[in-house]
């Protein structure tokens, strides 16, 4: 097999302490013509003599990196470390690739994106903007990562997922299907975001939380532990949903609502938020499915929360009992009306 390029030892430069040489095509192939000057590589073993792979423009390949198959490196991109770029992958612009990583398939990395450590980018994935992919993170299928998004640890982004702006995805989190995470949202732990969900603003999803179907989480909302948000539910504002709580259907959780434990919220009638008039603490959230009162991040039965307030003062206890009696009476009326209408 005849070689397709040679090193031009008369054209050299030093990058990061390593001497690199221009390559020159010695035959026609792909869009390269015999005599064309390519980019810079450290030695012949950095670029395969087989296939249509090529290093263009001022791109550099050095250290233990290897470009093969039909992969193409353009612009001012740098491929170093023990990186492998192959298949029909494209690295363009000012991209930096450095680590024991792989980029292959039809993947395309452009703009000022950075790929580090043990990451894998493949399929039809696209990473651009100033995005950073590192750790053992994987981005594949038709996923798009852009803006200043950061994907790290062992996170996986796939399907048609879209991560952008300053979003951060880490740990063992998975984002897939047509899910979108943007703005300053963070997803961590073993959380899963999928379906046609939208997580944005400063929302924080962690633990083993699962957000799916057409759900939306935004504002400063927090969803953690093993909470499920699905259907067309919306969680936003300063709301917190945790434990094994389920929010689904057309339910809207917003404000200072705190849904924890095994609460089930299918619509807006399934919970009630009460202004805590006897204390500077957060509002009290009543969830009807489990008949619990969440106060200061802890669930109480009706009897327990009244007793707790009486322990603080006679006035607090009286005010709390009035509130509990009112809400319980309200829900009895709602249940009677619902039974009548059946």
């Amino acid at each position: 097999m005849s070689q397709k390029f040679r090193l031009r030892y008369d054209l050299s430069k030093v990058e990061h302490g390593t001497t690199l040489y221009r390559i020159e095509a010695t035959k026609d192939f792909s869009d390269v013509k015999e005599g064309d000057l390519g980019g810079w590589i450290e030695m012949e073993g950095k670029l395969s003599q087989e296939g249509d792979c090529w290093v263009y423009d001022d791109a550099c390949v050095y250290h233990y990196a290897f470009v093969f198959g039909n992969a193409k490196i353009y612009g001012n991109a740098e491929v170093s470390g023990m990186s492998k770029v192959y298949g029909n992958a494209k690295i363009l612009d000012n991209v930096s690739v450095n680590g024991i990583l792989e980029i292959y398939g039809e993947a395309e990395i452009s703009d000022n994106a950075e790929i580090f450590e043990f990451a894998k980018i493949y399929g039809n994935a696209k990473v651009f903007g100033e995005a950073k992919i590192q750790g053992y993170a994987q981005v594949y299928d038709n996923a798009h990562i852009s803006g200043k998004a950061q994907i790290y640890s062992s996170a996986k982004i796939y399907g048609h997922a879209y991560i952008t702006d300053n979003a951060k995805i880490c740990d063992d989190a998975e984002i897939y299907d047509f899910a979108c995470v943007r703005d300053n949202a963070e997803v961590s732990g073993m959380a899963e975001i999928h379906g046609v969900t939208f997580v944005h603003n400063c929302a924080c999803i962690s633990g083993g939380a699962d957000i799916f179907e057409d759900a939306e989480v935004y504002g400063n909302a927090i969803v953690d532990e093993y909470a499920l948000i699905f259907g067309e539910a919306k969680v936003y504002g300063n709301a917190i949903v945790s434990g094994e709580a389920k929010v689904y259907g057309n339910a809207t959780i917003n404000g200072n609502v705190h849904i924890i434990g095994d609460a089930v919220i299918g619509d807006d009638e399934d919970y009630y938020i009460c202004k805590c008039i006897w204390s500077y603490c957060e509002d009290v959230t009543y969830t009807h499915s489990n008949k619990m009162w969440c106060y200061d991040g802890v669930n109480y039965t009706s009897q327990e929360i009244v007793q707790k307030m009486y322990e603080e003062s006679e006035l607090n206890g009286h005010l709390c009992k009035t509130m509990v009696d009112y809400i319980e009476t309200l829900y009895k009326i709602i249940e009677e009306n619902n039974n009548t209408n059946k």
Side-chain angles (χ1 to χ4, degrees), residues 156-173:
K156 292 181 180 179
I157 316 296
Y158 53 102
H160 292 268
Y162 181 42
I163 316 296
T164 189
D165 299 324
N166 294 298
K168 295 181 180 178
I169 317 296
C170 63
D171 299 330
D172 293 299

Side-chain angles (χ1 to χ4, degrees), residues 218-274:
Y218 56 105
N220 294 304
I222 295 173
V223 180
D224 64 4
E225 296 181 336
Y226 296 97
L228 302 179
I229 314 294
F230 57 102
E232 296 183 3
K234 289 179 171 32
V235 179
Y236 59 100
N238 294 309
I240 298 174
V241 181
S242 60
E244 296 181 356
K246 296 179 183 178
V247 180
Y248 66 99
N250 293 305
T252 300
I253 310 296
N254 68 87
N256 294 312
V257 177
H258 198 157
I259 309 294
I260 66 175
D262 58 352
V264 178
I265 310 295
D267 60 48
D268 294 348
E269 289 187 352
D270 290 339
Y271 74 98
Y272 196 99
I273 183 166
C274 313

Side-chain angles (χ1 to χ4, degrees), residues 45-111:
K46 304 296 101 186
L47 176 68
S48 176
Q49 293 282 2
E50 300 179 4
D52 288 331
C53 57
W54 190 243
V55 180
Y56 296 78
D57 308 319
D58 283 310
C60 303
V61 180
Y62 55 100
H63 292 157
Y64 296 96
F66 185 36
V67 177
F68 59 104
N70 298 313
K72 299 179 186 296
I73 318 297
Y74 296 91
N76 296 301
E78 290 190 6
V79 180
S80 59
M82 298 178 69
S83 306
K84 291 182 179 180
V85 183
Y86 55 101
N88 294 306
K90 293 180 180 179
I91 313 293
L92 306 94
D93 305 320
N94 299 302
V95 168
S96 178
V97 175
N98 183 3
I100 308 175
L101 55 85
E102 295 182 57
I103 299 171
Y104 57 99
E106 304 289 335
E108 185 174 306
I109 321 294
S110 60
D111 296 331

Side-chain angles (χ1 to χ4, degrees), residues 21 37 47 274 306 331 335:
Y21 304 96
L37 292 178
L47 176 68
C274 313
V306 171
Y331 272 93
E335 286 182 346

Side-chain angles (χ1 to χ4, degrees), residues 4 10 15 18 30 44 64 115 121 128 132 143-144 146 151 167 179 183 187 223 228 236 259 263 283 289 300 322 329:
K4 67 182 183 186
D10 58 323
E15 287 286 335
T18 301
S30 184
E44 186 177 307
Y64 296 96
I115 317 296
I121 318 292
F128 50 103
K132 292 184 179 180
H144 283 200
S146 66
I151 316 297
D183 299 327
V187 182
V223 180
L228 302 179
Y236 59 100
I259 309 294
D283 298 336
S289 63
Y300 298 93
T322 301
T329 301

